[in-house]
């Protein structure tokens, strides 16, 4: 970790900071409003107004964070006050200044930081308005300009006793409303517009006079007005954050989908809000869902139509293979064997597709009953011994709680284990072992399957549970599969009350696991 250096004007900076008379003072709504607005405008979980003194950064206002101060030597804002412009860290884990910072490795797990310095009247940079996220993010020039505009608002509050600084901050706020791409709004609690950014006219086509003569409810399509009025009523009832979508009328008779994020201020009777035009995103999502439905319906229909004749073909080939018509010519027998194996693989694929379609449509009936879990693990392990032998892989079980019970569907639970075990076996080097475990973690039962293979490539990890996903298409002959097993397992575990997840690395292999609520032992659990 690289501690921030000391500014050249540190003595003057500290004097300016103390002259503000804000350090260690109680929370004030005029600052809290700024961090709430920043958090919802940028969709960041944490927003802060920080003041940096000799050995700490103290939070005058905070949203999404419980602590009131942190050491200066480990602060991001200590670095941010060294530059006159917005200081951005897109991914702290990849930044040598912060990759081992305790607030990166531990709570609040900072990955993204953007901070704009806040100046006292004499120009000294005394703190920041900053945004924090636990995920890496990009921060565009427009985002930087917007954060600078909000920082000007915060500066105005810091130096509220100085009329000239307040006037400058007001001018910057005006500029912020002019240039913002998003549709900024200050409204009364009944939806009457009091202040609108230029983006409203650009998006909806109405003049400013037309907009100010209307209200948030008036602009909504008639079908959406009742719901919009209900949202406003919730704000008046004290809801701290208002989030909803509705359709707004345009001057040319068309309409746009608007996504609202608003912070009500009951004391002032005002609503501070930002609306975003999500029409295109909505249309793309609707089209994607339509195509997905068509694809699923087609696959399901074809699968149903194929399963009956294919089952008959598979059965006939099995009978031929079993010698029902007598010994076959060796060449014919080999061809029958190939056809039989391929028919079985195709039938498995069809069954997987139909299972997945049932899971996704919610039509899969599960019989969840209190069940002893350990015997199911033993059953799954025994069923895969032959498959493991083909790959030269050893199977082992680690059962810490042999009498554990959970509400599961036995057949579907076995199906989940079968998918996880077969995957682990396929990707394990010869001579290695695959471990099936049952432990108690954080008050729940944890079922895990650990292999010692090469791990899942980083580029593929986000797609592991997607349909037909396979890490390396060139390897499918060596490690055959449909690419549906993990997607089905993920859906089945969710239906049984758990979440399937994984950890992976090239050195230790891959571990899939899921937690299930534990039932009390004994038949009375039923």
């Amino acid at each position: 970790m690289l501690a921030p250096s000391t500014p050249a004007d540190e003595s003057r900076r500290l004097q300016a900071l103390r002259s503000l008379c804000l350090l260690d003072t109680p929370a004030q709504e005029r600052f809290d409003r700024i961090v709430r607005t920043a958090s919802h405008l940028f969709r960041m979980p944490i927003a802060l107004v920080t003041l940096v003194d000799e050995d700490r950064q103290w939070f005058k206002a905070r949203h999404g964070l419980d602590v009131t101060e942190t050491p200066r030597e480990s602060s991001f804002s200590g670095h941010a006050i060294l530059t006159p412009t917005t200081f951005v860290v897109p991914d702290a884990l990849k930044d040598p200044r912060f990759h081992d910072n305790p607030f990166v490795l531990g709570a609040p797990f900072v990955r993204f930081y953007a901070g704009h310095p806040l100046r006292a009247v004499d120009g000294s940079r005394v703190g920041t308005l900053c945004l924090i996220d636990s995920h890496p993010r990009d921060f565009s020039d427009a985002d930087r300009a917007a954060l600078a505009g909000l920082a000007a608002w915060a500066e105005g509050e810091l130096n509220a006793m100085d009329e000239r600084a307040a006037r400058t901050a007001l001018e910057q706020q005006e500029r912020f409303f002019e240039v913002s791409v998003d549709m900024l709004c200050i409204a009364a609690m009944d939806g009457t517009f009091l202040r609108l950014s230029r983006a409203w006219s650009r998006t909806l086509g109405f003049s400013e006079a037309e907009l100010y003569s209307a209200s948030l409810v008036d602009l909504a399509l008639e079908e959406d007005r009742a719901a919009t009025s209900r949202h406003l009523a919730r704000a008046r009832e004290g809801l701290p954050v208002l989030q909803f979508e509705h359709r707004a009328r345009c001057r040319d008779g068309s309409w746009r989908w608007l996504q609202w994020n608003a912070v009500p201020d009951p004391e002032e009777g005002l609503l501070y809000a930002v609306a975003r035009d999500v029409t295109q995103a909505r249309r793309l999502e609707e089209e994607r869902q339509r195509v997905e439905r068509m694809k699923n319906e087609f696959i399901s229909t074809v699968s149903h139509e194929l399963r009956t004749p294919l089952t008959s073909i598979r059965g006939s080939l099995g009978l031929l293979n079993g010698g029902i018509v007598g010994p076959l010519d060796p060449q014919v027998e080999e061809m029958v064997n190939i056809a039989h194996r391929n028919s079985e693989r195709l039938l498995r694929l069809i069954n997987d597709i139909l299972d997945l379609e049932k899971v996704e449509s919610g039509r899969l009936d599960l019989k969840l009953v209190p069940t002893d879990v350990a015997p199911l693990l033993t059953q799954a392990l025994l069923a895969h011994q032959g498959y493991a032998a083909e790959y030269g892989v050893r199977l082992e079980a680690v059962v810490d709680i042999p009498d554990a019970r959970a509400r599961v569907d036995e057949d579907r639970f076995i199906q989940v284990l079968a998918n996880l075990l077969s995957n682990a076996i396929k990707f394990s080097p010869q001579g290695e072992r695959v471990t099936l475990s049952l432990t108690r973690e954080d008050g729940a039962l944890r079922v895990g399957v650990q292999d010692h293979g090469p791990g899942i490539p980083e580029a593929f990890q986000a797609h592991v549970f997607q349909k037909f996903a396979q890490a390396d298409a060139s390897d499918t002959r060596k490690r055959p599969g449909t690419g549906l097993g993990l997607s089905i397992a993920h859906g089945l575990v969710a239906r049984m009350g758990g979440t399937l997840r994984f950890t992976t690395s090239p050195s230790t292999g891959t571990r899939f696991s899921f937690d299930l609520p534990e039932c009390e032992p004994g038949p009375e659990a039923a």
Side-chain angles (χ1 to χ4, degrees), residues 326-347:
L328 300 175
D329 180 83
Q331 216 171 11
V332 174
E333 184 178 10
E334 183 181 356
M335 294 177 68
V336 169
N337 281 335
I338 292 172
H340 187 242
R341 285 196 301 271
N342 285 338
S343 67
E344 287 185 328
R345 183 168 183 270
L346 187 54
L347 191 59

Side-chain angles (χ1 to χ4, degrees), residues 35-36 39-40 44-48 61-67 108 132:
V35 294
R36 288 198 305 268
S39 172
H40 292 289
M44 297 278 184
I46 298 174
L48 307 166
R62 62 191 193 278
H63 177 87
L65 193 67
D66 293 330
V67 298
I132 292 172

Side-chain angles (χ1 to χ4, degrees), residues 7 9-20 51 81 83 117-128 155 158-159:
D9 65 342
E10 179 70 348
S11 178
R12 187 185 76 162
R13 193 191 70 81
L14 291 174
Q15 185 176 354
L17 173 61
R18 294 190 185 97
S19 70
L20 296 173
L51 298 175
I81 63 171
T83 175
L118 302 178
R119 298 171 178 80
V121 175
D122 67 351
S124 299
R125 296 190 285 273
V126 295
T128 67
E155 280 185 5
L158 285 179
N159 304 295

Side-chain angles (χ1 to χ4, degrees), residues 235-248:
R236 291 192 293 272
E237 291 166 2
L239 190 72
V241 178
L242 199 61
Q243 295 177 315
F244 66 94
E245 293 185 3
H246 75 176
R247 291 164 294 178

